Every structure is written in C-alpha cells, then in structure tokens.
Amino acid sequence: MPFPLPRRSVLASAAGAALLVGCSSGSEEGEESVGDSPSASERARARAARESNGLLVRYDAVLAARPALAGLLGPLRAEVVRHVEAFGGTEKASPSPTASASPTVSSPTTAASAAPSAAPATEKDALVGLAGAERALADRRAAELVDAPGELARLLASVAAAGAAHAYLLTEGTR
C-alpha cells in the first residue's frame, strides 16, 4: 500500500529537483559557451595571458638595455613566462629591445603600464618602471578575481600575489 505524500512535500521536491537541474546545466566552472563564442572565463584567461606577455616584453626591453640587471630580473622574468603559460598563452619574443609591443587591451592604462616607451635612463629608473607595471597588473588582477569563477579566481589571486611580490623585490632593488 503506497503512502500518500502531503501536497506540500511533493511541491517542495519538484521545486528542489528543478533547482538542481538548473544549477547543473552549465560547465563545472559555471561558464557556458554559446556556439563558437568563448566564455567569459576563456576571454579573461586570454586577456591575462596577453597582459603577462606585455609585461614580459617590458622585462626583455629592460634586460636588453641594462644587462647588468640580469641577476635580479632573470628569475622574475622566468616567473612571468610561467604566468603567461598558466593563463594558456605562449611566450612571444619582442622584435627588438626598444619595441613597443603592447598587448591588445581595452584600457589605456594597461597598455601604458605593459609597453615600454623608451630605454630606461638608469638602472633605478628601469627597476621603478618594472615595479610600477607589476603593481598595476597585480592590482587589476586582484580586482578581476572577484567576478571570476573558482579555478580562474584562484589563479588570478596567485599571480596577483606573485606580481605584488615582484613589485616589492624590484622596489627593494632600488635602495
């Protein structure tokens, strides 16, 4: 003999099932790709890779102009290469030490902080310029991670923290 369920329980169960189905319809990160268009997460990753590559170009320009800084900048540059790769990008060599290879971005401040305008006048200027670029990029990433899905938010937080540490080390290098 089946037990009759109260009407309220049946409605609650149906509503709960609908919520569960609705929650699981997207991808694991909560992003859906419609057709061939990239998801917001994929666009954010591509932008982060371009911005890290722009920073890499800056490091290359400073290293070309100031080879004596290789001991300090080499390990930081290697980290930036890993950041590019972590975001799914590939390292792009700058065509010349003074080339202005700014990443494709929507913000003029991003382009200004990522692309060198000219060879730095002194080693201190070079380090201060790199520290400013690292700090600005770390700040943007920290702001972006609030709206990013789980895995990407963790990656942005980690890379932002590394960028802040780089800025600190570069600033300490000027003292």
Side-chain angles (χ1 to χ4, degrees), residues 29 40-42 44-45 48 87 145 148-157:
E29 290 294 325
S41 180
E42 290 166 337
R45 278 181 176 275
F87 288 117
L145 71 89
E151 179 189 341
L152 180 57
R154 287 186 290 277
L155 181 58
L156 285 168

Side-chain angles (χ1 to χ4, degrees), residues 33-120:
S33 250
V34 179
D36 290 334
S37 67
S39 70
S41 180
E42 290 166 337
R43 289 189 307 272
R45 278 181 176 275
R47 181 178 56 252
R50 283 190 310 269
E51 289 173 341
S52 288
N53 202 67
L55 186 60
L56 183 61
V57 168
R58 239 190 126 120
Y59 271 92
D60 288 344
V62 169
L63 284 167
R66 302 282 174 200
L69 293 173
L72 173 65
L73 299 183
L76 300 178
R77 182 196 182 280
E79 280 292 310
V80 174
V81 169
R82 285 191 283 281
H83 298 165
V84 171
E85 293 167 351
F87 288 117
T90 57
E91 176 185 351
K92 296 178 186 167
S94 64
S96 71
T98 58
S100 176
S102 63
T104 306
V105 292
S106 59
S107 166
T109 58
T110 302
S113 66
S117 57

Side-chain angles (χ1 to χ4, degrees), residues 115-129:
S117 57
T122 66
E123 286 184 4
K124 183 175 182 174
D125 291 341
L127 295 176
V128 167

